[in-house]
Each structure stands twice: as structure tokens, then as C-alpha cells.
């Protein structure tokens, strides 16, 4: 890898028998190590944004700014186009939502919930889920949207 021999004296011009002048080099060449680490860093920086919640949704587009990030991964509840529920990426029935959330929240520091709803889901279904969450004691609920939408009041064609 990076081991070599350092010779004393005339720079290795003499041939013949060795007089104890050659010593093993005890230094490690760190350049290949640094190169590999930088490549791995770039790979993880590119792959990290791709590892998000796995429920495919078409989020509504709004002009709202994103909330400040936290240290703990946010707990998300997703409503798909048919109105089905999922906690993170695990599908769950309506009757099981609140008991599962209570079990999850006992292990979490933050009590914030985020709702991701497909743009095709009716307002009534989103309000129904939010009402059930509030009745169960969850008062810090955020709605996740796509920030590339039109500004409110702007005329769009």
C-alpha cells in the first residue's frame, strides 16, 4: 500500500551486499484512504434525499415556507388518493390509527405530527383525520405541501 524502503547514504547507488542501511518505511500513505472517503461522502449526500417516506402522493402545491427542521425524524400520516391511511410508510386502518399513534408517541420526544394528503383527497377526509387526531390529544399538527405552487391570489391560467 505505502510501504517502502529508505536507504541511508549514497541514495542507493551501491550494489552488492546490504550493510544494514536499508530500513522499512513505517508511514502509511493516506491519500487513497482520503479519496475513498470523499467518494463515499458524495454518494451518501446524493442518496440521502432519496430516502424519504415511501407512500407515493401528489402533494398540493402552495407558496408556504417549510418549517424549521428538528433533530428527530418527523412522524407523518399519509392519505393516498383513495383516502387510505398510512403511518410513515405502513398502511393502517382508520380504527387502528389512534391506538398505534399512542404507542408510537410514548417512545418519541416530539409530539408533532405531519399530514401528507394527496391533492385528490377531499377536504372532508383530511378534516375528519385531523379531528380524530385532535380528539385523541394531538394538537401540534402540520400539513405537508409542495412549495412550488402558485401564490395565493395570483391569477393562474
Amino acid at each position: 500500500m505505502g510501504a517502502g524502503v529508505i536507504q541511508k547514504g549514497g541514495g542507493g547507488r551501491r550494489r552488492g551486499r546490504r550493510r544494514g542501511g536499508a530500513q522499512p518505511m513505517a508511514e502509511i500513505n493516506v491519500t487513497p484512504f482520503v479519496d475513498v472517503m470523499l467518494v463515499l461522502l458524495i454518494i451518501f449526500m446524493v442518496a440521502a434525499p432519496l430516502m424519504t417516506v415511501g407512500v407515493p402522493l401528489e402533494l398540493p402545491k402552495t407558496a408556504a415556507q417549510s418549517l424549521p427542521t428538528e433533530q428527530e425524524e418527523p412522524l407523518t400520516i399519509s392519505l393516498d388518493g383513495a383516502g387510505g391511511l398510512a403511518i410513515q410508510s405502513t398502511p393502517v386502518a382508520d380504527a387502528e390509527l389512534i391506538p398505534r399513534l399512542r404507542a408510537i408517541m410514548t417512545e418519541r420526544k416530539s409530539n408533532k405530527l405531519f399530514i401528507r394528503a394527496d391533492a385528490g383527497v377531499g377536504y372532508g377526509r383530511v378534516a375528519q383525520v385531523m379531528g380524530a387526531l385532535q380528539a385523541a390529544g394531538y394538537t401540534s399538527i402540520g400539513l405537508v405541501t409542495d412549495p412550488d405552487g402558485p401564490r395565493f391570489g395570483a391569477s393562474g391560467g
Side-chain angles (χ1 to χ4, degrees), residues 67 74-78 112-116 140-144:
L67 296 173
L75 183 62
T76 59
I77 298 170
S78 302
K112 289 185 179 181
L113 292 173
F114 293 100
I115 296 179
R116 298 174 67 234
S140 182
I141 301 171
L143 295 174
V144 179

Side-chain angles (χ1 to χ4, degrees), residues 80-105:
D80 61 15
L85 289 170
I87 299 175
Q88 297 297 72
S89 60
T90 307
V92 64
D94 288 3
E96 297 176 10
L97 178 66
I98 301 303
R100 282 203 185 178
L101 282 177
R102 285 191 177 141
I104 292 170
M105 292 304 251

Side-chain angles (χ1 to χ4, degrees), residues 2-133:
V5 175
I6 299 174
Q7 295 189 1
K8 292 183 182 176
R13 290 186 180 171
R14 287 186 237 160
R15 298 204 180 220
R17 64 174 221 196
R18 297 165 92 186
R19 294 182 151 190
Q23 298 175 355
M25 189 168 79
E27 297 176 6
I28 297 174
N29 187 0
V30 295
T31 304
F33 176 72
V34 172
D35 290 344
V36 169
M37 295 308 289
L38 288 175
V39 168
L40 288 174
L41 176 67
I42 291 170
I43 289 171
F44 284 115
M45 287 174 56
V46 170
L50 302 176
M51 293 187 257
T52 58
V53 177
V55 179
L57 299 175
E58 183 179 329
L59 296 173
K61 305 213 182 290
T62 65
Q65 298 295 320
S66 62
L67 296 173
T69 59
E70 296 184 10
Q71 295 171 349
E72 191 173 37
E73 180 183 355
L75 183 62
T76 59
I77 298 170
S78 302
L79 284 107
D80 61 15
L85 289 170
I87 299 175
Q88 297 297 72
S89 60
T90 307
V92 64
D94 288 3
E96 297 176 10
L97 178 66
I98 301 303
R100 282 203 185 178
L101 282 177
R102 285 191 177 141
I104 292 170
M105 292 304 251
T106 59
E107 301 173 5
R108 295 179 57 85
K109 295 177 185 175
S110 173
N111 63 349
K112 289 185 179 181
L113 292 173
F114 293 100
I115 296 179
R116 298 174 67 234
D118 193 276
V121 175
Y123 175 75
R125 177 67 172 147
V126 176
Q128 178 186 23
V129 171
M130 287 181 71
L133 292 171

